[in-house]
Amino acid sequence: MAKIIVTAGPVPGHVVPLAAIAADLTKRGHEVLFYTGAQFEAQISATGARFVPHPAEVDVTVGALDAALAEREKLAPLERIVFDIKHLAADQAPIHDKRLQELLAEFPATVVISEPMSFWALPTALRAPRGRRPLLVNIGIAPPAFSSADTAPFGPGLLPPTTDEERASYDDMRVQMGAFFADPQQYVEGVFTSMGVTLPAPLFDAMATVPDHLLQLTVPAFEYPRGDAPEGFRFIGPLPAATDSEFELPDWWAELSDDRPVVVVTQGTVENGDFSQLLVPTLRALADADVTVVAATARPDGPDMVRAALDDQVPANVRLAGFVPFEQLLPLADVLVTNAGYGGVQTALRHGVPLVVGGETEDKPEVAARVEWSGIGVNLHTARPGTAAVRAAVDDVLNDPRYRKRASEIRSQCAEYRPFDAIADIVEQATAGGEHSRLGLRREGDEL
């Protein structure tokens, strides 16, 4: 039996996939300690893992950083990334690192599983060579951000270069982006120095090269090929999610099996405070369409918020929902309209559902660009599309069979991967003291 520490930033998109990994490892008989925000105690405890909360002074989920988060809301998208790096990750890293070392002293884990924004896990790997410390496994819950000559700089959501002119343009852009991120890079380096370690590369690269493994939760068909990917980078496919057997089907659920196409729209679990961004425009755009629209608001008061935004004039073809399990909903869907959250898009890939996406914050432009590049949907290139743009995109996806065909192809590729088995294999090899063969995580013929 292995001892494993799992740690994740205290937001649903970071915690949920790692909680699923923790649940699988405990079912296999391993002992798991999960370190994250206090708000997630019940969710983590349900996995069978031992829950340890973040110290209150750095726990976003108990309001410790509310003032900082309020300031963040005033910033432009790229400025938010800088803010997040400096003040929602680096500033707290020494406290989290200290707590992680305390946990390792009392719970001698052979493996630490983290995700890219958990900066506090990196010093553990930097303080000692492999074999004299826990193995560090990073789970790719967002598009890989490490630099590559085969892609555009990470952030704006640009497609890979196809001409020499584009490559030259991206090279220039890399220089400009390097200058833009020079301040947060220097800031993070100073924080790491205060922890007694040296950051060996630019931050986005270090998040991929410092861990022993970076396991990406997608398939090659949804990710740009790279000839210069880090050695530890591997695709393991999207995580399957458990079906919620306690979900009570609403009265309208049977309608989803009718002949009419089903369009699901959501703004995810974070950007759902203002439904005028994407959800409401979609409902208005499809009000007279011969489709059934399911508005998945991901919050208990969501349906009431939507009714208020529509002045109680909810279109007749719309079905409002609070929390609804996508594992049960997406098999009935023909299109998913979403703000390009990575986890939701991967769920659509597993179910072969084509997409219409629009997002501007965090990694969402990069996710949306990959939807476009992979041929699985339409990129709206904005988080606040007009109704005409949404209607045209949904009509395009419903009427052009190429999207459904490509979605089916990617679904088939997803089915070839066993992500839980791949992670468990690493854990068990590390615990047995053997050197894991990284090629074992990769299907023959995969391209990076």
Side-chain angles (χ1 to χ4, degrees), residues 1 21 50 138 164 270 274 304 327 332:
M1 180 173 65
I21 292 168
R50 170 187 164 193
N138 220 338
D164 289 342
V270 176
D274 176 11
D304 288 338
E327 287 302 302
L332 304 173

Side-chain angles (χ1 to χ4, degrees), residues 44-62:
I44 299 307
S45 296
T47 70
R50 170 187 164 193
F51 174 75
V52 176
H54 286 172
E57 66 267 29
V58 291
D59 192 344
V60 176
T61 70
V62 297

Side-chain angles (χ1 to χ4, degrees), residues 17-63:
L18 271 71
I21 292 168
D24 179 76
L25 290 171
T26 60
K27 287 178 183 176
R28 294 171 188 259
H30 301 302
E31 190 175 354
V32 180
L33 182 154
F34 203 119
Y35 174 65
T36 190
Q39 177 180 310
F40 298 97
E41 180 174 4
Q43 183 175 353
I44 299 307
S45 296
T47 70
R50 170 187 164 193
F51 174 75
V52 176
H54 286 172
E57 66 267 29
V58 291
D59 192 344
V60 176
T61 70
V62 297

Side-chain angles (χ1 to χ4, degrees), residues 222 336 338-350 353 355 357 367-368 371 376:
F222 191 71
L336 174 63
T338 172
N339 64 340
Y342 197 71
V345 168
Q346 297 308 312
T347 302
L349 298 185
R350 285 196 299 104
V353 179
L355 298 120
V357 292
V367 180
V371 168
I376 197 173

